[in-house]
């Protein structure tokens, strides 16, 4: 199965398409999830894939929280995603870092490649693309209502998902200066029962409202 295959199932079957879809407006209503697999290819040809990052929390087609490992993602599905990402990297002869983005139907287990981008870096370490703790959240907060100021990005880590969520909530609540337009929204999402139990994307939006 080559990198041109953009629709596959976790059991290994595939359907060929002319190319990946170009809609990056966010996950579709229902059970679609967006996941990223980071790939590292060393100068001597060694290849490693990282754990799945999920773009969990969206607002107006912007990703506000990415999380690793992806909540409640079956190990068999993650293994299949990593295998496809590795195959994409080999087929395209990547060197250094790269990311393969997937769309996953959480109900059927069918997923597709929606984007694959390499970022050549000499001397990069494999550890650079792995979380520095058992669980990690990358949180984005826009600067102000008119969005003329740069956004703030927080990387919050914890030994468990619960610890990472608590630290993220506390960090947001203690941010100095005027509240960014996304801060209250993020605190609401992080504190919600739906997100704490593992709902993400549009399923989270439907549950929280």
């Amino acid at each position: 199965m080559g990198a041109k295959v953009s629709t596959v199932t976790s059991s290994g079957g595939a359907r060929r398409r002319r190319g990946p879809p170009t809609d990056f407006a966010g996950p579709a209503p229902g059970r679609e999830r967006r996941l990223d697999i980071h790939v590292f290819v060393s100068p001597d040809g060694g290849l490693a894939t990282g754990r799945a990052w999920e773009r969990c929390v969206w607002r107006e087609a912007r990703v506000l929280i990415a999380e690793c490992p992806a909540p409640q993602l079956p190990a068999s599905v993650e293994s299949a995603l990593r295998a496809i990402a590795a195959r994409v990297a080999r087929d395209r002869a990547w060197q250094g870092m790269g990311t393969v983005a997937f769309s996953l139907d959480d109900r059927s287990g069918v997923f597709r490649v929606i984007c694959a981008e390499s970022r050549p870096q000499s001397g990069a370490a494999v550890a650079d693309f792995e979380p520095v703790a058992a669980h990690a959240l990358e949180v984005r907060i826009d600067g102000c209502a008119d969005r003329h100021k740069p956004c703030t990005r927080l990387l919050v880590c914890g030994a468990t998902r619960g610890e990472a969520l608590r630290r993220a909530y506390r960090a947001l609540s203690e941010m100095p200066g005027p509240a960014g337009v996304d801060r209250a929204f993020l605190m609401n999402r992080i504190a919600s029962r739906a997100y704490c139990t593992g709902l993400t994307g549009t399923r989270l939006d439907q549950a929280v409202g």
Side-chain angles (χ1 to χ4, degrees):
M1 190 188 319
K4 293 183 180 179
V5 175
S6 61
T7 303
V8 299
T9 65
S10 56
S11 61
R15 296 192 298 275
R16 290 189 177 272
R17 302 169 62 99
R18 290 186 177 273
T22 56
D23 178 13
F24 296 98
R31 301 181 69 86
E32 183 188 7
R33 301 173 69 176
R34 295 289 179 86
L35 301 118
D36 297 331
I37 300 292
H38 299 311
V39 182
F40 174 81
V41 184
S42 65
D44 61 4
L47 187 148
T49 57
R51 297 292 306 273
W53 282 83
E54 180 168 4
R55 292 175 256 176
C56 293
V57 176
W58 296 72
R59 191 181 195 189
E60 299 171 353
R62 294 174 295 122
V63 182
L64 298 188
I65 297 180
E67 184 173 349
C68 182
Q72 299 184 5
L73 182 67
S76 59
V77 174
E78 183 176 39
S79 178
L81 296 178
R82 294 175 74 170
I84 294 297
R87 192 162 296 178
V88 169
R90 291 192 184 98
D91 286 353
R92 299 189 178 188
W94 282 359
Q95 290 293 324
M97 303 286 292
T99 301
V100 182
F102 294 89
S103 169
L104 168 69
D105 185 310
D106 205 32
R107 187 184 303 276
S108 67
V110 174
F111 57 85
R112 61 185 180 181
V113 175
I114 58 174
C115 183
E117 297 180 340
S118 63
R119 302 184 303 279
Q121 296 179 5
S122 60
V126 174
D128 288 346
F129 69 90
E130 288 282 20
V132 295
H135 210 97
L137 300 175
E138 184 180 356
V139 183
R140 167 180 169 156
I141 310 99
D142 272 333
C144 58
D146 59 12
R147 305 213 174 109
H148 289 165
K149 295 181 181 178
C151 70
T152 299
R153 293 182 184 272
L154 304 176
L155 181 62
V156 184
C157 301
T160 64
R161 184 171 189 258
E163 182 179 54
L165 292 176
R166 289 191 295 272
R167 287 179 173 177
Y169 188 91
R170 184 168 63 249
L172 288 167
S173 68
E174 295 175 352
M175 285 182 64
V181 296
D182 293 320
R183 184 162 71 170
F185 176 87
L186 283 165
M187 292 176 69
N188 175 268
R189 285 293 189 269
I190 291 172
S192 69
R193 179 178 179 84
Y195 188 50
C196 290
T197 57
L199 291 184
T200 61
T202 54
R203 294 181 304 159
L204 174 62
D205 294 337
Q206 291 163 359
V208 177

